[in-house]
Amino acid sequence: MRAKIGALALASLLATGVQAQTSGPIEIQWWHSMTGALGDWLGNFAKDFNASQSEYKVVPVFKGTYDESYAATIAAYRAGNAPHLVQIFEVGTATMMASKAIKPVGEVMKQAGVNFDPRSYVPAVAGYYTSPKGEMLSFPFNSSTTVLYYNRDMFKKHGLDDKAPATWPWIAAAAARLKTSGEKCGFTPAWQSWTQLESFSTWHNTQFATKNNGFGGMDARLAFNSPLHVRHIENLQNMTKQGLMTYAGRRTEAEAKFWTGECGMLTSSSAAYAGIKRNAKFDFGIAPLPYYPDVSGAPQNTIIGGASLWAMAGKKPAEYKGVAKFLEYLSNADVQAKSHQATGYLPITSRAYNITKESGFYDKNPGTDVSVKQMIVKTTDKSRGIRLGNMVQIRSIIDEELEGIWAGKKSAQEGLDEAVKRGNDVLIKFEAANKGSK
């Protein structure tokens, strides 16, 4: 009997050993918010990395929109089952920085012994995700900026110059020409808070918020109800009343109105390029954001958008090593160059930009370098970016107030004043809840 029990125990141990040896690669859960052409693009990163080695397996999991994924991540961390990596949009940066839920990317890479030099990344991109102490906290995965798209075929058809309007008065005039010529829509904005207030501010070298737009401390307060901001939103309100501007929604809804040929001009992310290129049946152009020529210092530079990858706290060393290896793969210059050319996202390393430039891609695809040129300008204290706590909630407030303005329920001054007041209440609460955070 003892011999039989011993034999069974040995068999069990052997089976356990075999199971351990054949359990497969270490899984790295990666939550994201990409769909359509960009969803395919993101999925290919995981496929290619998984095929390049057998020790780790990156598993992408779609978790809804940026807002939904952000909320799901916080809830998962509190429940003790957060993913290893999560894609968080740029407006969540300050909140993530103040959180104990993350493990800094610089620390992950160092502990894993993976070569990592923050200086190889484009300064305007890397600087946004870097702490005041110089430590990179998240990985700048899909970085974008705001640009103008225009329907070149529509412009030619109605006698407009075959070049993009460079100023806001020019935008209004072009939209009026398209409208009187029978087109349904002259201009439409996507991501209205980002394109019409946040980037608008840095493009005109004026503050969106005090304390260098939040980079100087948590006691920053909103300031986008200045005469310049009111003037711009009032102009857009008048364009809406005249049928020259069509508001489609808070996020990317306007992009479909452009690539279907309904609207002649669109302000959106440089990363809208992938979807527009796939769907548009007409010749389109890409140009810098419009500006007001009488504003001193304009145009300056636009700011970062898109998202970065955050490593969540509480994982095993072996898992963090897999995260580090995957981020090392994503940093490869050839991988980055290919990604930039396919999507319109910024090349996050200088080498990736040079590879793209030397390949002749920008010459063959005019306008695809606009986003890069807008971002490599030397930044000022007013144009470095917007980094405020609970910016997700602030954007929602801004969207609500802008929608009231477009609907004619409020004047531009009233709507922006209320957005600033409500947004500052959010900032005050964030500051109180995070005193002493890094």
Side-chain angles (χ1 to χ4, degrees), residues 54-355:
S54 59
E55 194 172 353
Y56 308 100
K57 180 182 180 181
V58 173
V59 182
V61 181
F62 175 71
K63 297 297 289 187
T65 64
Y66 279 140
D67 301 68
E68 292 166 344
S69 180
Y70 174 82
T73 298
I74 299 302
Y77 173 74
R78 289 171 179 166
N81 57 359
H84 300 84
L85 272 179
V86 62
Q87 181 190 33
I88 298 291
F89 54 175
E90 90 287 359
V91 293
T93 299
T95 306
M96 293 296 285
M97 285 177 65
S99 169
K100 296 179 180 179
I102 63 106
K103 186 177 178 70
V105 160
E107 186 179 322
V108 170
M109 303 296 267
K110 183 178 180 180
Q111 290 180 356
V114 172
N115 184 39
F116 180 65
D117 183 6
R119 293 173 299 181
S120 66
Y121 298 90
V122 175
V125 175
Y128 188 83
Y129 299 114
T130 299
S131 74
K133 297 179 180 179
E135 181 180 37
M136 191 178 284
L137 301 177
S138 65
F139 181 83
F141 174 57
N142 56 309
S143 297
S144 59
T145 195
T146 46
V147 297
L148 172 74
Y149 297 92
Y150 66 105
N151 185 325
R152 297 180 67 186
D153 288 348
M154 189 184 289
F155 270 42
K156 292 176 185 177
K157 178 181 177 181
H158 300 300
L160 291 167
D161 290 337
D162 184 24
K163 60 180 180 179
T167 67
W168 280 108
W170 193 349
I171 287 279
R177 170 67 72 86
L178 296 178
K179 181 69 175 180
T180 56
S181 299
E183 298 295 344
K184 292 182 179 179
C185 164
F187 166 71
T188 185
W191 297 107
Q192 58 177 355
S193 175
W194 182 38
T195 60
Q196 304 309 318
L197 285 175
E198 297 164 42
S199 270
F200 175 86
S201 298
T202 60
W203 196 225
H204 289 82
N205 200 31
T206 189
Q207 64 179 9
F208 178 86
T210 62
K211 289 283 183 174
N212 300 339
N213 291 326
F215 278 82
M218 288 188 187
D219 54 341
R221 297 295 180 261
L222 301 172
F224 55 78
N225 57 344
S226 74
L228 174 61
H229 293 99
V230 172
R231 167 190 173 189
H232 177 56
I233 298 304
E234 192 171 65
N235 287 341
L236 294 184
Q237 183 186 45
N238 290 331
M239 287 179 64
T240 301
K241 290 178 181 177
Q242 297 165 27
L244 308 182
M245 181 182 112
T246 298
Y247 172 64
R250 298 181 177 186
R251 297 181 179 84
T252 61
E253 298 89 343
E255 293 172 8
K257 286 190 173 293
F258 178 75
W259 55 251
T260 57
E262 181 178 338
C263 294
M265 294 173 285
L266 162 76
T267 49
S268 189
S269 168
S270 57
Y273 173 75
I276 293 172
K277 185 177 181 181
R278 171 185 282 189
N279 295 297
K281 306 301 181 185
F282 53 82
D283 185 21
F284 66 91
I286 309 171
L289 280 185
Y291 66 98
Y292 287 99
D294 61 330
V295 176
S296 178
Q300 171 59 35
N301 62 274
T302 53
I303 55 173
I304 196 170
S308 63
L309 301 184
W310 294 81
M312 302 302 290
K315 303 302 178 182
K316 299 175 182 178
E319 294 170 336
Y320 280 130
K321 188 170 184 180
V323 169
K325 288 291 184 181
F326 181 51
L327 296 183
E328 180 183 38
Y329 162 78
L330 292 178
S331 298
N332 180 276
D334 291 322
V335 170
Q336 276 297 315
K338 182 180 178 181
S339 172
H340 164 57
Q341 294 167 31
T343 65
Y345 281 124
L346 295 165
I348 63 170
T349 65
S350 300
R351 180 59 184 143
Y353 168 68
N354 291 330
I355 289 174

Side-chain angles (χ1 to χ4, degrees), residues 1-36:
M1 179 62 73
R2 290 179 180 174
K4 187 175 182 180
I5 291 175
L8 288 172
L10 178 60
S12 177
L13 285 171
L14 289 173
T16 302
V18 170
Q19 186 178 5
Q21 293 173 14
T22 60
S23 60
I26 295 172
E27 283 199 0
I28 305 298
Q29 290 288 314
W30 179 21
W31 288 6
H32 69 89
S33 300
M34 300 282 95
T35 59

